[in-house]
Amino acid sequence: MSDSRPYRGRLAPSPTGYLHLGHARTFWTAQERANEQGGVLVLRNEDLDRQRCKPEFVTAMLEDLRWFGLRWQEGPDVGGPSAPYAQSERMAHYRTAFQRLRSAGLIYPCCCSRQDVLRALQAPHQGEDEPVYPGTCRPQPGQCAPEVSAERAVSWRFRVPDGGQVDFVDGHFGLQSFKAGADFGDFVVWRHDDLPAYHLAVVVDDAAMGITEVVRGADLLRSTARQLLLFAALGHPVPNYYHCPLMTDERGVRLAKRNDALSLRTLRQQGVTPDALRKGWSVSVGRLFGQSV
Ligand code: GLU
């Protein structure tokens, strides 16, 4: 893949907790890549999950990222031509995309388990990817999606082309191949509680904001395959992708927002400097700080 548009990258944190060193490392890579290209970096507040996102985490995330040395040219706090930069304020964009997918017959209503729908709330993490959908509510080929009454809470799934291969060349990991229907199945694009699911929101925003390269964690490699199908379905230009290896603790466990010891906030309160953190992240973070994480 190549993209001849002027470089636009993005930082897309979710304010569901304090950001940790793993986020900082990925975002730092995003910033370095944008700077190398003389490009623009956009900060997007991914706050769709009303239950888990909190205003205090939005404030904290902006503060902590700035403290760490990250700078963005567009974002919720600085504005810019693609405003608004908080997903909760972009519902009209998501609804338009949803209607396009629906009119094109590419999605169908689904009344399967709430658990599946809950998984669609958030970006999946390694080992927590949504299971391949067994196709319970999938219409037969050639059959129209059933009519749904306005009162009925259903989710909507994107019908993936069974057996179709989705290939892309990742800037870090090289050629990636995933098979639709095997590596991932029909995925939720609209949730039963009338909110867009992660994949749809991210694709709509990356397209609307003219993002040319997506830099994010390796836990989203498989999600990229799904999102490429949505880019194609919506007829949007596809960005390049660069997935960063995930930071792990001494036991090899991926850092999560619950790893308070390595939240940027805690490290900062302990007097650790961003410079020391950047020098240290090639070694095990637990060893670096002499703590068990
Ligand atoms: N907001 C997502 C997260 O914090 C990342 C989405 C993305 O980079 O596509 O996990």
Side-chain angles (χ1 to χ4, degrees), residues 21 25 247-250 276-289:
L21 201 49
R25 186 169 71 167
M247 195 176 258
T248 55
D249 67 15
E250 279 198 312
L277 293 172
R278 283 193 288 274
K279 287 202 179 96
W281 58 35
S282 53
V283 297
S284 158
V285 286
R287 203 164 63 235
L288 177 68
F289 298 105

Side-chain angles (χ1 to χ4, degrees), residues 10 12-14 46 123 125 198 202 214-216 220 227 257:
R10 44 74 146 188
S14 300
E46 302 217 322
H125 299 304
Y198 157 70
V202 158
V214 171
V215 178
R216 60 187 178 191
L220 294 172
Q227 290 170 22
K257 285 192 177 123

Side-chain angles (χ1 to χ4, degrees), residues 12-278:
S14 300
T16 55
Y18 293 122
L19 297 179
H20 57 61
L21 201 49
H23 296 112
R25 186 169 71 167
T26 298
F27 292 160
W28 192 254
T29 303
Q31 176 160 291
E32 283 187 321
R33 292 183 67 80
N35 287 348
E36 275 160 25
Q37 305 286 323
V40 163
L41 202 53
V42 174
L43 187 128
R44 187 166 71 227
N45 172 11
E46 302 217 322
D47 60 348
L48 276 178
D49 185 344
R50 287 177 197 149
Q51 244 107 65
R52 296 176 67 229
C53 294
K54 303 230 155 53
E56 59 266 36
F57 292 137
V58 179
T59 314
M61 110 192 157
L62 297 175
E63 264 175 36
D64 293 347
L65 293 176
R66 280 198 193 284
W67 167 76
F68 193 76
L70 289 154
R71 298 290 177 266
W72 45 95
Q73 290 70 51
E74 296 174 29
D77 52 341
V78 291
S82 303
Y85 292 93
Q87 288 191 321
S88 57
E89 295 167 30
R90 299 180 59 79
M91 285 301 292
H93 294 265
Y94 311 135
R95 284 199 196 283
T96 305
F98 168 79
Q99 285 306 343
R100 283 180 57 196
L101 295 174
R102 187 174 177 182
S103 316
L106 296 170
I107 56 178
Y108 61 87
C110 172
C111 36
C112 289
S113 94
R114 211 173 117 67
Q115 194 52 37
D116 280 356
V117 180
L118 282 178
R119 280 178 191 275
L121 280 171
Q122 339 153 12
H125 299 304
Q126 216 169 35
E128 297 173 16
D129 206 2
E130 63 180 274
V132 174
Y133 179 62
T136 322
C137 293
R138 184 192 239 213
Q140 294 300 314
Q143 197 189 342
C144 290
E147 286 300 315
V148 283
S149 70
E151 300 82 56
R152 180 110 189 260
V154 292
S155 56
W156 287 78
R157 287 183 186 272
F158 183 82
R159 184 186 189 113
V160 303
D162 281 333
Q165 191 150 314
V166 183
D167 293 334
F168 63 97
V169 180
D170 183 72
H172 180 86
F173 289 100
L175 179 64
Q176 303 293 306
S177 293
F178 295 99
K179 196 163 262 186
D183 293 320
F184 61 92
D186 294 353
F187 55 91
V188 174
V189 291
W190 204 268
R191 291 163 33 183
H192 79 295
D193 56 356
D194 202 26
L195 283 174
Y198 157 70
H199 295 297
L200 183 66
V202 158
V203 166
V204 166
D205 287 344
D206 284 339
M209 295 179 181
I211 301 303
T212 61
E213 184 177 69
V214 171
V215 178
R216 60 187 178 191
D219 50 331
L220 294 172
L221 272 166
R222 190 178 299 231
S223 295
T224 297
R226 297 181 178 96
Q227 290 170 22
L228 288 174
L229 293 177
L230 285 182
F231 273 102
L234 292 166
H236 294 313
V238 172
N240 294 321
Y241 285 90
Y242 186 101
H243 290 82
C244 301
L246 299 179
M247 195 176 258
T248 55
D249 67 15
E250 279 198 312
R251 290 158 297 174
V253 178
R254 167 185 183 279
L255 295 193
K257 285 192 177 123
R258 56 187 172 272
N259 289 106
D260 257 2
L262 291 172
S263 75
L264 295 179
R265 202 127 271 238
T266 306
L267 293 166
R268 176 182 176 184
Q269 280 158 3
Q270 288 170 349
V272 181
T273 67
D275 222 32
L277 293 172
R278 283 193 288 274

